[in-house]
Amino acid sequence: MWKKYILWFAQEHVDFRISEFESLAKMFGFQFRRVSEQLLKPFWLVEFPNEKTALQYASRSIALRAIFELYSHSNTLPEFHNRLRSHVDTHHKEIARLFSSDVSFKITVETYNKHFSQREKVEKIETMDYLPIEGTVDLKNPQVEWWYIEFWGLDPKEVPPVPDDILFGRLLAQGQRHLIKDLSLKKRKFIGNTSMDAQLSLLMANQAMVREGDLVFDPFVGTGSLLVSAAKFGGYVLGADIDYMMVHAQCRPSRISQRVRERDESIRANLKQYGCADRYMDVLVADFSNPLWHPRLLFDSIITDPPYGIREATEKVETKKSAKEDTRSEDMVHYPSTSHYSLQSLYCDLLEFSAKHLKLGGRLVCWLPFHREDYDEAMLPHHKHLRLVANSEQPLTGNTSRRLLTYEKSSEYSHAEASEPRITHVPTPSEDFRDRYFNNALESRKDRRMRKAELRELGRLEMESRGKIPTDGRAKKCDLNKARFV
Amino acid sequence: MKLSTYNFLTSMAIKGVKVGFPLKLTISKKELVETEFNPTFVERLLPKLDWSAVYGAAQVAELAEDIPAVQPESIVDNEQLLQKLHHLLFEIDVLEGQLECPETGRIFPITDGIPNMLLNEDEV
């Protein structure tokens, strides 16, 4: 029987919740009808064919705080109470057991964008005294939790005189936001400069529709932060990276309190920390620009955050033509020199690789950085065998941002048609992200440094004129940094 | 490196190498890592595997008597064989050793359980 449900989302990464919802709907293969049109609001009304579907969705969603069975909602109070009364009357039979005297309960009042005192909240609860609840109150472990929700708009500077929406429902389940804390980078064994935060990496695993027993690959694995979330959802994970020191967890630590890497730091140790050591397949040192994998190998999904050239270098092994002068002797260990791996050729390789090594219907989930002023959907890379199914933006700095792109393999790759171009809309070389980031930003790095130094100097003079002795925060930070290398 | 990964790796990136598979495996130090047996995952992995390389790995790991030289027609119903495959593919971790390209003899070292598949400038 179709029923309406309230979906309560965290108001964070708003753009991502829509694609996550659609991905999970596809993964579980469930049907839904959306009632709300405003998808940016933290409360959605959605119809599901049964309660099982609602629970399935809540069992994986990261964007979702909680899901409720809807009893009543309206934008005016009298109408809200009328509807709640009539809902309780018409559904008397099925909800009688929830109201019965041996079922303990609790009513929570949630007001979004407006604060109310405990007393005012109790008053709000008392306006619903017509509810035939007979059970006893249990605030700690209630058997049924009722939620009364008022939505007072999204803008804290312009709170409307009356709530935009009033909702009442029964709590069914919490979303999976506890995983964000469980997998937090703060407590993770092995992290680096570019480790993806727990929330985004979990969202990526959902976008990729990672299921129990899937084979998941990250070709730019780094510290394996994306493998952690994929493994948490039941995927068997495999990774590769060009950086030998990174893969062996011997690179410089990124925690300010840590001077050297511990011996037992590794991607495998991370998975072990979260109880998914069994999901670890392997990581290896390899250059993505060269073919390595057997053509028969098909992945269920490829989840990756390629280097943008800002925090982590974009590099590939050099070819002989451009190699630097050779200074090694025969008996020395040789580390191949690397050259710049431009973002556009990296994405071409990534799309081509995914078209070859994904199963049909498998997904590629990856980030693409760009400058906000020149974003245009036409600049996204396209591939003949991959269909773009989702595209969500995360702003990074004033003028840069990155998009989480989700591609699905839509047709079988055949080696016979190799001569045809499969990739279209490759960003042109002038759009090199790194180059623009460092050299053509709104303000050059040098200008900014000088401006900041001037401001600091002004502030210092100001303080001195008022007779205060400034403490040099910057010098302190520098000293702390130096101390790491003593 | 687990022996399942060994089954996926080729040396075809080397200039002039056509197939580069299977690589010649040498194990100098290995470790037994107990992992949970998941028959469906082993089943799903089967079509991705090259049986001759599975058998080759079994020989190197001294488990040849557990694995038939030719792929049996129905493995799915053979729980015992699935368990043996699981043991071979997921529970043996090669800590030190090497992989050798069958066509050029180029050696890829395995250190601390991680194979280094990087090539030099003059090889790509």
Side-chain angles (χ1 to χ4, degrees):
Chain A
M1 191 181 66
W2 285 80
K3 259 192 203 163
K4 279 186 188 157
Y5 295 87
I6 309 167
L7 272 52
W8 177 30
F9 292 104
Q11 201 64 355
E12 185 182 14
H13 302 305
V14 174
D15 208 11
F16 292 69
R17 70 164 75 124
I18 305 164
S19 13
E20 192 205 40
F21 183 83
E22 282 164 1
S23 297
L24 294 180
K26 179 153 190 189
M27 185 180 105
F28 288 116
F30 63 67
Q31 291 174 296
F32 64 91
R33 299 187 201 130
R34 238 180 332 233
V35 185
S36 328
E37 277 158 23
Q38 249 299 353
L39 300 181
L40 301 182
K41 282 189 194 168
F43 301 100
W44 285 10
L45 296 184
V46 174
E47 280 185 46
F48 286 129
N50 49 46
E51 194 169 302
K52 193 181 136 233
T53 305
L55 293 175
Q56 246 178 356
Y57 170 63
S59 74
R60 271 296 285 269
S61 179
I62 298 300
L64 184 80
R65 278 187 190 281
I67 191 163
F68 311 91
E69 186 189 346
L70 179 77
Y71 275 47
S72 167
H73 90 104
S74 170
N75 49 7
T76 66
L77 270 172
E79 181 62 24
F80 165 78
H81 288 296
N82 279 343
R83 286 191 190 172
L84 183 54
R85 268 199 200 93
S86 74
H87 182 93
V88 172
D89 283 345
T90 47
H91 296 79
H92 176 73
K93 261 193 185 159
E94 45 177 309
I95 50 185
R97 64 173 177 89
L98 298 170
F99 288 148
S100 77
S101 59
D102 55 342
V103 176
S104 61
F105 78 99
K106 171 186 174 181
I107 301 181
T108 307
V109 176
E110 168 71 25
T111 55
Y112 191 89
N113 205 26
K114 185 160 176 157
H115 180 76
F116 288 95
S117 69
Q118 197 55 38
R119 215 189 129 132
E120 285 168 309
K121 286 185 178 175
V122 172
E123 278 164 18
K124 285 180 194 296
I125 293 176
E126 279 164 3
T127 60
M128 296 180 291
D129 54 6
Y130 50 82
L131 289 176
I133 302 180
E134 288 165 12
T136 49
V137 176
D138 183 346
L139 295 180
K140 276 201 177 138
N141 291 307
Q143 284 164 292
V144 185
E145 265 187 67
W146 305 100
W147 280 62
Y148 171 84
I149 299 165
E150 285 179 3
F151 175 61
W152 294 77
L154 284 171
D155 189 354
K157 282 180 216 135
E158 258 183 77
V159 181
V162 286
D164 278 358
D165 212 355
I166 307 148
L167 307 122
F168 186 83
R170 178 173 68 92
L171 178 73
L172 275 185
Q174 308 275 352
Q176 298 302 308
R177 293 189 69 76
H178 63 92
L179 284 176
I180 299 171
K181 209 173 157 197
D182 295 352
L183 305 186
S184 162
L185 292 181
K186 287 182 189 165
K187 287 184 217 133
R188 192 171 298 175
K189 185 99 195 153
F190 172 47
I191 61 164
N193 281 333
T194 52
S195 295
M196 183 68 64
D197 84 66
Q199 173 159 202
L200 288 171
S201 60
L202 287 160
L203 281 170
M204 288 174 80
N206 274 344
Q207 284 300 103
M209 308 196 298
V210 175
R211 271 165 278 209
E212 166 60 38
D214 274 5
L215 185 59
V216 182
F217 179 54
D218 181 355
F220 302 96
V221 71
T223 57
S225 48
L226 302 180
L227 299 188
V228 165
S229 57
K232 198 73 195 167
F233 288 142
Y236 285 81
V237 295
L238 193 62
D241 203 293
I242 194 168
D243 189 340
Y244 181 95
M245 298 305 265
M246 181 82 88
V247 174
H248 283 264
Q250 286 166 8
C251 50
R252 222 184 92 184
S254 55
R255 284 191 170 98
I256 196 155
S257 57
Q258 191 183 5
R259 233 180 267 174
V260 283
R261 290 275 181 204
E262 280 163 46
R263 274 197 68 81
D264 55 349
E265 278 186 52
S266 68
I267 294 172
R268 181 182 243 169
N270 282 349
L271 290 176
K272 209 168 163 187
Q273 181 181 353
Y274 301 121
C276 17
D278 286 355
R279 307 280 152 172
Y280 176 88
M281 295 277 285
D282 261 312
V283 289
L284 37 98
V285 186
D287 176 12
F288 186 64
S289 68
N290 290 322
L292 172 71
W293 303 100
H294 196 284
R296 197 194 290 105
L297 179 60
L298 292 180
F299 298 107
D300 295 293
S301 48
I302 296 172
I303 307 179
T304 192
D305 183 23
Y308 319 142
I310 309 294
R311 287 184 175 205
E312 209 55 73
T314 43
E315 46 183 20
K316 60 176 180 177
V317 171
E318 220 159 2
T319 53
K320 204 180 181 187
K321 266 181 261 164
S322 59
K324 289 155 203 149
E325 208 180 320
D326 202 350
T327 50
R328 69 190 157 117
S329 57
E330 278 302 313
D331 55 341
M332 271 166 77
V333 186
H334 177 65
Y335 299 100
S337 56
T338 53
S339 68
H340 179 52
Y341 190 7
S342 77
L343 264 187
Q344 64 263 29
S345 53
L346 189 155
Y347 275 90
C348 288
D349 288 352
L350 182 58
L351 262 63
E352 184 67 13
F353 177 84
S354 305
K356 266 187 206 164
H357 286 287
L358 274 178
K359 67 166 186 196
L360 202 62
R363 286 187 166 188
L364 161 69
V365 179
C366 61
W367 291 97
L368 177 70
F370 61 95
H371 289 268
R372 299 182 85 177
E373 54 192 16
D374 53 28
Y375 173 73
D376 176 10
E377 216 171 309
M379 72 180 258
L380 298 179
H382 280 261
H383 192 284
K384 200 179 150 192
H385 299 292
L386 300 170
R387 190 166 56 88
L388 185 68
V389 289
N391 171 3
S392 324
E393 181 183 354
Q394 183 201 14
L396 293 175
T397 59
N399 56 342
T400 59
S401 110
R402 59 179 176 180
R403 281 180 178 266
L404 184 64
L405 305 178
T406 307
Y407 292 92
E408 197 167 282
K409 183 162 167 182
S410 52
S411 54
E412 216 52 87
Y413 185 98
S414 89
H415 291 268
E417 38 163 1
S419 57
E420 266 180 80
R422 295 193 188 83
I423 301 163
T424 49
H425 301 303
V426 180
T428 54
S430 66
E431 286 167 357
D432 193 285
F433 182 71
R434 180 180 198 278
D435 203 41
R436 291 243 335 247
Y437 187 90
F438 286 119
N439 303 323
N440 297 313
L442 295 174
E443 180 183 35
S444 81
R445 283 157 69 85
K446 194 183 167 194
D447 287 347
R448 192 165 138 235
R449 208 164 55 230
M450 299 309 277
R451 185 170 57 83
K452 289 249 164 120
E454 262 169 46
L455 276 177
R456 263 200 309 278
E457 186 59 22
L458 272 177
R460 197 179 61 82
L461 291 175
E462 176 88 350
M463 272 175 103
E464 274 178 350
S465 70
R466 280 196 251 135
K468 282 186 184 167
I469 301 152
T471 52
D472 197 339
R474 194 181 154 80
K476 229 186 217 170
K477 208 168 154 190
C478 285
D479 289 344
L480 191 61
N481 250 328
K482 274 178 210 155
R484 296 171 68 188
F485 300 103
V486 175
Chain B
M1 184 194 71
K2 298 189 180 181
L3 295 176
S4 49
T5 309
Y6 163 71
N7 209 293
F8 304 148
L9 294 175
T10 74
S11 60
M12 63 172 130
I14 303 175
K15 206 173 11 181
V17 168
K18 288 211 178 65
V19 185
F21 185 88
L23 300 167
K24 201 171 149 240
L25 173 71
T26 317
I27 302 176
S28 43
K29 190 178 164 197
K30 67 182 174 192
E31 190 186 39
L32 212 69
V33 187
E34 253 180 63
T35 56
E36 190 197 336
F37 174 53
N38 180 344
T40 38
F41 183 63
V42 181
E43 268 173 55
R44 282 177 66 178
L45 208 65
L46 281 176
K48 301 179 169 84
L49 298 175
D50 180 289
W51 196 268
S52 64
V54 171
Y55 184 67
Q59 281 175 313
V60 180
E62 289 155 5
L63 288 165
E65 62 267 32
D66 285 353
I67 309 292
V70 184
Q71 180 164 10
E73 272 183 30
S74 68
I75 299 180
V76 181
D77 314 320
N78 191 341
E79 169 102 10
Q80 218 180 2
L81 181 57
L82 280 179
Q83 285 220 11
K84 281 173 178 162
L85 277 171
H86 166 81
H87 175 69
L88 174 73
L89 297 170
F90 304 115
E91 298 197 312
I92 293 165
D93 195 15
V94 182
L95 292 180
E96 307 289 334
Q98 63 181 44
L99 298 163
E100 188 185 322
C101 169
E103 290 165 51
T104 61
R106 161 66 146 100
I107 283 165
F108 300 96
I110 303 169
T111 36
D112 289 329
I114 299 174
N116 181 356
M117 304 305 289
L118 283 186
L119 292 169
N120 291 334
E121 301 87 331
D122 49 359
E123 292 170 316
V124 290

